[in-house]
Amino acid sequence: MTSTLHSLLRLHLAAPGWGVAFAVAMLAGGCASQPAGYGISDAAASQAAEQHALAEKEKPDSATVYLALIEQMQKKNMYFASLAHLDEYERTYGTSPKTTLMRADALRATDQLPASAAAYHALIGTSLAAQGYRGLGLISGAQGDFDSAAQSLSKAAETNPTDSQLLSDLAYALMRSGDVTGARVPMMKAAELDQKSPKVMGNLALYLLADGQTKNANGLMDAQNMPKDVRDAVRKDAQAVAAAAREREKRAAAASHGNAADRSVANASRATRPAQPGGASGTAAHAEPPVQLVAPVGTTATQPIDQMFPSQQWRQGPALSPFAVAASARRGSTD
């Protein structure tokens, strides 16, 4: 029995995390049939208790340390393991916006998109709302719905307007939805905020290609020493952007044609309406009131319509001089 006791104590000392309760339970079970006087001594029990207390002291004693360990797992792409530890963390310390975001990211990385979207939605209205909108945008983009992606990412950018990666994601989503013009401003913001990010520079090259600036795009990719596979991916995306832009133009033309047809039908209906006595159309009880045009604030109703509602023109900003190429947009010029 003495040798058994010594073995168990050595095992406990080698792995103090097991705890003294385990050693005591094993000894109690092994000595149940022994005569009185056998069993763990007071000195051994005291020593085991001290070892247990030391092991507990050496454990991560704060939620911050544990959360940092989980973050390291995610940085190493150990997302499934991080989900398991997030379960344990929240069981012990409770749920917070930070753990919800980490869970949402891990679920997205492990292709559990519905659960990930639910977690991102839970962040709306918290201090991490921008990350929630960004995650929803990334999920929409992964599913090919770049219109919805752009909407979510735009909301995220409103909350976090200096995040270069977020602005770059927004520009990409806008380009993939066919809105190259709308992508210019967030893309240029991202490029000037972070000139060292390969992802931002890749999206900038994509924008230049989509905007017809092939020479500048090639110059940028040369200056950034982009490898061939990255250049091929940029050019492939540029083809997808061009196709989306054509489809967007078709939808706009169809909508414009439909509106014109609706107006023609309405005008024809009014023209063929039977005249009523006194020159009024329809019955007096259902006579349509004249349409009143309200002039915008700061204008008068006597101004020509083109002065009351002037068209908005994009104005070109300065060239991005820190780059090896001029990244100014082709549309417009500085006055």
Side-chain angles (χ1 to χ4, degrees):
M1 183 59 204
T2 301
S3 61
T4 301
L5 172 61
H6 289 166
S7 298
L8 285 170
L9 288 177
R10 283 197 299 272
L11 177 61
H12 173 65
L13 294 177
W18 283 25
V20 67
F22 173 78
V24 172
M26 290 293 293
L27 287 168
C31 301
S33 60
Q34 298 296 329
Y38 287 87
I40 188 167
S41 67
D42 291 341
S46 177
Q47 184 180 16
E50 290 176 2
Q51 292 294 331
H52 176 70
L54 179 62
E56 289 296 322
K57 184 177 180 180
E58 292 176 349
K59 285 183 179 179
D61 58 355
S62 72
T64 302
V65 174
Y66 194 5
L67 205 59
L69 293 175
I70 301 175
E71 287 180 321
Q72 288 300 317
M73 292 179 188
Q74 294 196 345
K75 288 179 180 179
K76 295 178 181 179
N77 296 326
M78 299 171 62
Y79 287 105
F80 285 105
S82 74
L83 285 171
H85 279 282
L86 281 169
D87 290 340
E88 175 62 20
Y89 177 94
E90 292 182 340
R91 185 184 69 82
T92 304
Y93 298 107
T95 303
S96 68
K98 176 67 173 178
T99 61
T100 300
L101 174 60
M102 294 174 66
R103 181 178 296 279
D105 289 342
L107 289 169
R108 179 169 59 85
T110 55
D111 200 28
Q112 302 179 70
L113 299 186
S116 177
Y120 283 128
H121 271 295
L123 293 172
I124 307 304
T126 72
S127 59
L128 298 180
Q131 289 86 335
Y133 282 121
R134 182 173 186 264
L136 291 172
L138 294 177
I139 289 177
S140 295
Q143 295 173 333
D145 186 356
F146 291 103
D147 287 328
S148 295
Q151 292 175 10
S152 294
L153 291 169
S154 180
K155 291 179 180 178
E158 291 174 2
T159 308
N160 195 1
T162 59
D163 187 329
S164 61
Q165 297 297 314
L166 173 56
L167 291 167
S168 179
D169 289 338
L170 172 58
Y172 181 85
L174 287 167
M175 286 188 283
R176 290 300 305 270
S177 71
D179 187 5
V180 178
T181 300
R184 183 176 73 88
V185 171
M187 188 69 258
M188 295 306 176
K189 286 180 179 179
E192 289 191 342
L193 285 169
D194 190 355
Q195 303 169 20
K196 296 182 180 180
S197 169
K199 184 177 113 175
V200 172
M201 293 298 101
N203 284 346
L204 177 58
L206 172 61
Y207 168 76
L208 293 172
L209 284 175
D211 195 47
Q213 302 184 61
T214 304
K215 182 178 179 180
N216 285 342
N218 290 333
L220 175 62
M221 289 189 284
D222 289 340
Q224 295 291 318
N225 294 317
M226 294 185 186
K228 182 179 182 301
D229 59 336
V230 174
R231 296 179 186 228
D232 291 343
V234 170
R235 293 190 176 98
K236 183 177 180 180
D237 273 354
Q239 295 175 357
V241 170
R246 289 192 297 268
E247 183 62 28
R248 186 184 185 90
E249 291 175 357
K250 288 180 181 178
R251 292 198 304 267
S256 177
H257 179 74
N259 292 337
D262 290 342
R263 287 194 297 270
S264 297
V265 171
N267 292 336
S269 176
R270 284 194 294 270
T272 58
R273 187 176 299 169
Q276 299 297 318
S281 298
T283 63
H286 295 86
E288 296 180 358
V291 177
Q292 299 294 328
L293 295 178
V294 179
V297 176
T299 64
T300 65
T302 58
Q303 287 181 268
I305 190 70
D306 59 340
Q307 294 182 17
M308 293 168 61
F309 301 93
S311 59
Q312 299 296 318
Q313 300 292 333
W314 282 94
R315 300 184 64 81
Q316 172 60 44
L320 300 181
S321 56
F323 299 117
V325 298
S328 58
R330 180 164 49 84
R331 303 181 186 84
S333 60
T334 305
D335 292 338

Coordinates of all heavy atoms in Angstrom, one line a residue, residues 253-263:
A253 N -31.4 51.0 -67.8 CA -32.1 51.3 -69.0 C -33.5 50.8 -69.1 O -34.4 51.4 -69.5 CB -31.3 50.8 -70.2
A254 N -33.6 49.5 -68.6 CA -35.0 48.9 -68.6 C -35.9 49.7 -67.6 O -37.1 49.9 -67.9 CB -34.9 47.5 -68.1
A255 N -35.4 50.1 -66.5 CA -36.2 50.9 -65.5 C -36.6 52.2 -66.1 O -37.7 52.6 -66.0 CB -35.4 51.0 -64.2
S256 N -35.7 52.8 -66.8 CA -36.0 54.1 -67.5 C -37.0 54.0 -68.5 O -37.9 54.8 -68.7 CB -34.7 54.7 -68.0 OG -35.0 55.9 -68.7
H257 N -36.9 52.9 -69.3 CA -37.8 52.6 -70.4 C -39.2 52.4 -69.8 O -40.2 52.8 -70.3 CB -37.4 51.5 -71.3 CG -38.3 51.1 -72.4 ND1 -38.4 51.9 -73.5 CD2 -39.2 50.1 -72.5 CE1 -39.4 51.3 -74.3 NE2 -39.8 50.2 -73.7
G258 N -39.2 51.6 -68.7 CA -40.5 51.3 -68.1 C -41.2 52.5 -67.5 O -42.4 52.7 -67.7
N259 N -40.4 53.4 -67.0 CA -41.0 54.6 -66.4 C -41.5 55.5 -67.5 O -42.6 56.1 -67.4 CB -39.9 55.4 -65.6 CG -39.5 54.7 -64.4 OD1 -40.3 53.9 -63.8 ND2 -38.3 55.0 -63.8
A260 N -40.8 55.5 -68.7 CA -41.3 56.3 -69.8 C -42.6 55.8 -70.4 O -43.5 56.5 -70.7 CB -40.2 56.4 -70.9
A261 N -42.7 54.4 -70.4 CA -43.9 53.8 -70.9 C -45.0 54.1 -70.0 O -46.2 54.3 -70.4 CB -43.7 52.3 -71.0
D262 N -44.8 54.0 -68.7 CA -45.9 54.3 -67.7 C -46.4 55.8 -67.9 O -47.6 56.0 -67.8 CB -45.4 54.1 -66.3 CG -45.1 52.6 -66.0 OD1 -45.7 51.8 -66.7 OD2 -44.4 52.3 -65.0
R263 N -45.4 56.7 -68.1 CA -45.8 58.1 -68.3 C -46.6 58.2 -69.6 O -47.6 59.0 -69.6 CB -44.6 59.0 -68.3 CG -43.9 59.2 -67.0 CD -42.9 60.3 -67.0 NE -41.8 60.0 -67.9 CZ -40.7 59.4 -67.6 NH1 -40.5 59.0 -66.3 NH2 -39.8 59.2 -68.5

